[in-house]
Amino acid sequence: MTSSGLTRRQLLRTGGVAVAAAGLGPAVLAGCGGSDDAGGTGGPLSFMYWGSAFEKKAIDEMLKKYGKEHDGAKVDPMYVPVSNYPTKVSSLVAANTPPDLAYLGTGQMYDLAQKDLILNLFPYLDKYPELKDRLPSSYFWYGKDKLAANQLAMGVQILYYNTDAFKAAGIDPAPFTADTAWSWDDFVQAADKLTVDQNGKHPSEDGFDSGKVKQFGTIAPIGGAPLYSLLRSNGGDMVNEDGTKFALDSAAAIDVLKKVQDLIYVHRVAPSPAQLGKNAPTTSVQLQTKRVGMIIDGNWTLLDLMESKVPFGVAVLPKFKEPLTMTGGAAGAIFAKTKHPEEAIELYLYYNDPEHVDLFKDGLWAPLQKKYYTDQAEIDKWVLKDKYPANFKTAVVDTTLKNGVTDWGQQIKNADRIHQVLDPALEQISLNKGAPVDIVKALKPKMQALLQGKWPLQEL
Amino acid sequence: MASSPMKQEARWGVLLALPAIIGFVAFTFLPMIASAVISLTDWTIGAAPKFVGFANYTRMFTADDSFFKSLWATLYYTLGAVPLLLIVAFAVALLLNQPVRGQGVFRVIYYLPAIVPIVANSMLWIWLFNPDFGLLNTLTEKAGLPRSQWIFDESTAIPSLILMSVWGFGNVAVIFLAGLQGVPRQLYEAIAVDGGGAWRKFRHITLPMMTPTIFYSLVTSVIGALQVFVQAAVMTEGGPNDSTLFYIYYLYRTAFTNNEMGYASALAWVLFLVIMAVTVVLFRNSSRWVYYEAGSTR
């Protein structure tokens, strides 16, 4: 997740231009998005997305390939940095010129869907039966027979590590099957061996200087998908089953929060937010430069890691009680205003299909269809042996279905507002501004007031 | 041919001012009217607006903690940044007004930070503020002072941003410098004849003669500081724990993250009224300390 101030400023500017240019038609807007086809008149479809530099390249190529395979159909890519993405979407919607297809964060996607701004895919299910063969957890329903979208792709949390750093620290490769997952203590121990200061001392040794750390063991997973995976592993959760009650104050959840906080302030194997810095480098850069030895992050990071030729391994997440990982992903949606709904659905189906699209082989996405996880011949189509790290199948492919729990954000209502009170509280924990138990206690009434239950699920 | 030269001049005047007038009406005045109307509605982006009367304003004062938090953060910043900025700019302007060798070079050097774009400036200060290897902590450590967490701690975040704001004193210093050069020399000569030293010159000539310039800078700086935004957007994202949730940043978040255009417009109007009230108070009090030279002394 890159977030640089410069791009932010640029985006403010382009956002402003987009609003000002509201009446001037799609060609102008495509120009703002940095379309490659400067000379083109603007294609029938626009595709808005975020991502790293590698992701931008991969998506642009995918869209070109789609054009070639579809009689020169033209798709305008609109790349927007992730840090300002929702703002840009809002500006475009306010200007009444949304893109045709877009990546959308789930909170924003539901918000737009309930205002009927997202194309309901339900009426198209018969005509396009491929829409039905995704993993059930990947659908976003916003009412009875109202289907807003699927996930863009399957996302799953992985423990990545720099293999050179492991060798240098004398650690065996991290476990790559769910049954052999590290306990939390094993994880902390490995992180201690990986953490060295300028004098070569580890945090558990006398004289360790936490102000001059050369390499950290890990980054404390205080937030987002990594934290949620660990909460669930310990039997905790953010909210109760139907999403109406705050649940982060359970003993199991507090235990996880405390242990994660301890990584920074007790074990000293992870940088504090200040040490990590504003605009911190991405996971792949942290691992490549050996600033950090191992990090829990999403599978999409594989793209950058493989493109940058980082010597890295993949492993299952450390466990508390159950070995598990969180699955989920942002939505890939079609805006209701599109003039070409069927073409948009065809592109939608195209980019979800590993048969056509290299993004799966490149590591950015994991497939949404079950067969790509269960059938070896199908697995071989995307998990390329000479490209993917060893043990990817057991560490990631197998655990996605067998040990995966769905992201609580996938269905929760009012998600964006909830995060506006939840995230500062988690930040307090990461800044050591108090015991997790007290911070969570103060958070409870604020977050409880925002809980409105969950969006429905529906059988296909 | 019937029109008199006076009339013709007036016509030309209006014609030439027309672009500015049209610009003001189309891009400032009408949007203001629109936002006043929008502020009375419950309107989220993408949905139809609903008229709700003054509900947005009621909510602000009765049910929105973030509103008060952001108002306080902004006032805190303004109260810290403006006096410090004026004092530093004034001191530097006094120095730059001394006839020394290389005066021009010094003036350029001190003005330079003011032309660094604010985002580049922010990126630079993020590094200076880094608690581990930032320049500021290296300096405080060398001086035997404790390390600070700067923008990474709730209690020091706003003071840090105040410190940073002072770095851009160049614009105000230039205005002061111009003001200093407008102080009539014969007044200094008169005091010299009477045997007054440097302090008397400063206290009884420079300062009183500069009050209109100081007043102007005070008003514009206060208005600018109340609208502080970029530092929060680029450097802190309102954090930690919403401690730098400046008013405009909160307004921006309300409008474009939460999509609540109605509420955001109401917030904008409250800020407008606050700024107007502050400005009126400053003007009302100005007669007590601002000295306007009687027209004919020169």
Side-chain angles (χ1 to χ4, degrees), chain A residues 5-6 8-9 12 84 87 90-91 93-94 111 115 117 211 273-275 278-279 417 420 424 427-428 431 433, chain B residues 44-47 118-119 123 126 131-132 149 152-154 233-235 237 240-241 252 256-260:
Chain A
L6 286 168
R8 195 176 302 250
R9 169 64 171 263
L12 282 176
N84 280 283
T87 315
S90 293
S91 310
V93 170
D111 178 55
K115 293 171 185 162
L117 294 168
Q275 286 172 316
K278 295 286 171 190
N279 301 320
R417 289 304 185 76
Q420 279 172 20
E427 193 182 12
Q428 292 294 87
L431 287 165
K433 288 287 161 190
Chain B
T44 60
I45 290 179
I118 177 101
V119 174
M123 298 310 280
I126 285 176
D132 266 0
Q149 293 292 304
F152 296 93
D153 192 283
E154 225 176 306
V234 175
M235 299 175 69
E237 290 172 16
N241 196 25
Y252 165 81
F256 293 104
T257 308
N258 298 348
N259 295 342
E260 290 184 285

Side-chain angles (χ1 to χ4, degrees), chain B residues 102-115:
Chain B
Q103 190 193 40
V105 175
F106 286 118
R107 286 181 179 177
V108 169
I109 290 174
Y110 281 98
Y111 187 67
L112 268 181
I115 57 171

Side-chain angles (χ1 to χ4, degrees), chain B residues 32-49:
Chain B
M32 276 179 78
I33 302 293
S35 86
V37 175
I38 292 169
S39 78
L40 302 176
T41 65
D42 175 8
W43 181 35
T44 60
I45 290 179

Side-chain angles (χ1 to χ4, degrees), chain B residues 113-191:
Chain B
I115 57 171
V116 176
I118 177 101
V119 174
N121 199 350
S122 301
M123 298 310 280
L124 181 74
W125 279 83
I126 285 176
W127 288 109
L128 293 177
F129 283 138
N130 186 300
D132 266 0
F133 37 81
L135 184 65
L136 292 178
N137 262 359
T138 312
L139 291 176
T140 53
E141 225 167 50
K142 286 248 162 73
L145 297 166
R147 301 162 73 95
S148 170
Q149 293 292 304
W150 302 107
I151 54 171
F152 296 93
D153 192 283
E154 225 176 306
S155 58
T156 53
I158 287 187
S160 303
L161 294 181
I162 290 172
L163 185 70
M164 172 184 157
S165 75
V166 174
W167 202 58
F169 63 78
N171 283 325
V172 181
V174 164
I175 294 169
F176 282 150
L177 195 54
L180 286 171
Q181 285 166 1
V183 179
R185 273 175 205 247
Q186 66 266 31
L187 295 178
Y188 290 118
E189 286 159 11
I191 230 173

